[in-house]
Amino acid sequence: MSEPSPQRLDPRPAVPDFEQQERLGELWTAVPEPARRRYRPRRALLRHRGVRAGAVIAVLGLCALLILALVRDETGTEGFLVGLGLAVLPVPLLLSAFRWLDRVEPGPWRSLLFAFAWGAFAAALVAIIANSFATEWIATATANPAGAESVGATVVAPVVEESAKAAAILLLFLFRRRSFTGLVDGVVIAGFSATGFAFTENILYLGSAFGEDQDVGNSGFASITAATFFVRIVMSPFAHPLFTVLTGIGFGLAATADRRQKVRRVAFPLLGLALAMGMHALWNGSGSLFGPFGFYAVYAAFMVPAFALLTWLAIWSRQRELRTISTELPAYAAAGWLTPAAPLALSSMRARGLARTYAGRVFGPHAARAVGEYEAFATSLAFLRHRAQRGAVGTDFVARERELLHHLWQRREIAGPALTHAARVTGRAWAPPPYVDYEGYNPYRQY
């Protein structure tokens, strides 16, 4: 009887035989370095990873030179430096928050850095050129410059900017599909892209405000720079990430959909992008639509609740990933690939940290790194099996599962005891009470 095709896997894919791994383990090749891991054969030179990375870096570098030159031309050198110093302040906080969400199965840093650079340079360059061109065209066509500015901010800017930021998510969804597995990945990538875009935009706004203050002689808390800093950096540093996260959620839902559900895989990202544009338009047009206090009304009644709701959704998704680990990995533990306590420890971020600390203290730094790699491979294995049950994996499921299991097998002697220790310390696994001899005391002994 032939095996089912990978696109139509059984609801519970069979777990490979651990005994066969024990017999053939010594014949397997060594685990490659992280930068050389791959599931597919080598490709042609023009599609080689180094060539593509060089091309991406060159394009982003050119965009960086152009956008920074445009911003400096708009603000002046002094204004550019002031804007740069103030705009960088919220960036570490935002990036750390998004990276914290991604701790269960951390995405590769190269993808996150690409998303940030794309938002800061490529998306910002597209936005500043397209917005300026559209606003000038509307002003010429309607002979109403003031109305053109309002239409440009309320209608044109949300469409252009959200589309430009979403391009980073789309590119990673298409070309880094293996590391784009769910809702959290979409949120994190969108957050990095939007944070980069907001960083460059804040340089422009703060630098321009500083230039205006220099012209009129304003300074201190009454200055335009202080007001701009308060609105953009203190009150709403999360505005651009909040908009673009909606697009990221759409792509995240598309990533979890069955590969046969092509309509959903297209509809979810488009719906998320439309919602992002709508929220962005409401934010930009709050003053003109609702009067002088419209900004504060939209901020209090809409932006803050939306931010709280999306924050809850992101944290819930993170906890759901941990539950997926605790649900999927016991099948591999029952087959002998993992120790019985390993799934319990791997589904707790505290236990994971304790396992790395224990291995490093007992065996050294190399052991801590091995346990960290073991945790990453086991997490990827759990998500791979979870996606297989939904039909969201490709034809190479068996090969990918085998390679991940082999990575775990090679690190089992160090990671197994460390994870068992962590599970017992955190109370997730039963530990026998310690035997205490109290210096030979026995109440029934006859003296």
Side-chain angles (χ1 to χ4, degrees):
M1 182 176 178
S2 60
E3 295 182 357
S5 62
Q7 292 90 342
R8 298 179 180 274
L9 294 169
D10 295 333
R12 287 285 177 180
V15 175
D17 184 13
F18 176 72
E19 304 246 345
Q20 182 182 9
Q21 174 75 15
E22 285 288 334
R23 292 193 300 269
L24 301 179
E26 298 300 329
L27 301 178
W28 282 46
T29 57
V31 176
E33 295 298 324
R36 296 178 59 82
R37 291 176 191 137
R38 54 173 55 83
Y39 296 112
R40 294 182 178 180
R42 292 181 181 272
R43 296 179 176 180
L45 176 63
L46 293 179
R47 301 183 66 188
H48 193 273
R49 179 180 298 176
V51 175
R52 289 180 296 176
V56 169
I57 292 173
V59 171
L60 291 178
L62 179 60
C63 291
L65 292 176
L66 291 175
I67 186 61
L68 294 179
L70 289 174
V71 172
R72 194 195 73 80
D73 184 65
E74 184 75 20
T75 62
T77 302
E78 190 175 0
F80 175 82
L81 294 176
V82 171
L84 177 64
L86 296 177
V88 78
L89 294 178
V91 172
L93 178 63
L94 291 171
L95 297 186
S96 298
F98 285 112
R99 188 60 177 174
W100 177 83
L101 287 175
D102 203 29
R103 284 182 62 204
V104 177
E105 189 187 24
W109 269 109
R110 60 180 178 274
S111 296
L112 300 182
L113 292 177
F114 165 79
F116 180 84
W118 180 276
F121 306 134
L125 179 63
V126 170
I128 195 172
I129 295 175
N131 288 342
S132 299
F133 174 80
T135 302
E136 291 178 6
W137 182 83
I138 294 172
T140 303
T142 61
N144 183 7
E149 289 289 340
S150 177
V151 172
T154 306
V155 179
V156 176
V159 174
V160 171
E161 294 176 8
E162 293 307 320
S163 298
K165 289 181 287 183
I169 312 173
L170 175 62
L171 290 172
L172 291 173
F173 181 82
L174 293 177
F175 298 105
R176 288 291 179 266
R177 189 65 182 82
R178 301 204 189 283
S179 59
F180 200 129
T181 58
L183 191 146
V184 172
D185 294 313
V187 169
V188 173
I189 292 170
F192 269 69
S193 177
T195 301
F197 183 91
F199 168 65
T200 302
E201 189 180 68
N202 286 336
I203 297 176
L204 176 62
Y205 278 91
L206 290 166
S208 299
F210 180 80
E212 293 181 28
D213 287 331
Q214 293 295 99
D215 292 339
V216 299
N218 288 338
S219 62
F221 291 105
S223 65
I224 302 174
T225 305
T228 305
F229 178 85
F230 178 74
V231 171
R232 298 189 67 87
I233 306 299
V234 178
M235 285 188 65
S236 57
F238 58 85
H240 272 291
L242 179 61
F243 307 146
T244 312
V245 158
L246 293 173
T247 306
I249 290 175
F251 277 97
L253 293 175
T256 61
D258 191 316
R259 295 174 70 88
R260 292 165 291 178
Q261 298 173 334
K262 296 182 179 180
V263 175
R264 293 187 180 183
R265 290 166 66 84
V266 175
F268 282 140
L270 292 178
L271 177 60
L273 179 61
L275 290 175
M277 292 176 178
M279 183 180 289
H280 197 158
L282 178 64
W283 175 253
N284 284 3
S286 58
S288 59
L289 294 174
F290 304 107
F293 297 101
F295 169 82
Y296 299 101
V298 170
Y299 181 86
F302 188 78
M303 292 292 288
V304 172
F307 175 75
L309 178 62
L310 290 179
T311 300
W312 171 84
L313 178 62
I315 295 175
W316 174 84
S317 299
R318 184 177 184 266
Q319 293 301 117
R320 185 170 176 266
E321 289 185 338
L322 293 174
R323 289 194 297 271
T324 298
I325 294 172
S326 65
T327 301
E328 301 297 340
L329 289 185
Y332 295 100
W337 290 98
L338 308 175
T339 61
L344 301 173
L346 290 166
S347 59
S348 166
M349 298 307 298
R350 178 169 175 259
R352 286 182 173 212
L354 287 175
R356 294 191 299 271
T357 302
Y358 174 81
R361 185 175 66 248
V362 176
F363 302 106
H366 69 283
R369 287 193 298 271
V371 173
E373 293 174 349
Y374 187 97
E375 294 171 349
F377 288 128
T379 302
S380 298
L381 180 64
F383 291 165
L384 179 66
R385 182 176 175 84
H386 184 64
R387 293 196 302 275
Q389 296 173 31
R390 301 194 312 269
V393 296
T395 57
D396 58 349
F397 165 74
V398 174
R400 294 172 63 192
E401 182 187 44
R402 269 293 183 183
E403 183 172 343
L404 291 170
L405 287 171
H406 184 60
H407 287 305
L408 297 180
W409 182 81
Q410 288 201 329
R411 294 164 175 81
R412 70 195 187 286
E413 293 183 357
I414 293 178
L419 290 169
T420 300
H421 169 80
R424 291 177 174 176
V425 169
T426 56
R428 303 180 70 84
W430 179 82
Y435 173 74
V436 180
D437 187 2
Y438 295 111
E439 298 181 352
Y441 171 74
N442 184 345
Y444 301 101
R445 181 181 299 168
Q446 298 295 325
Y447 294 96

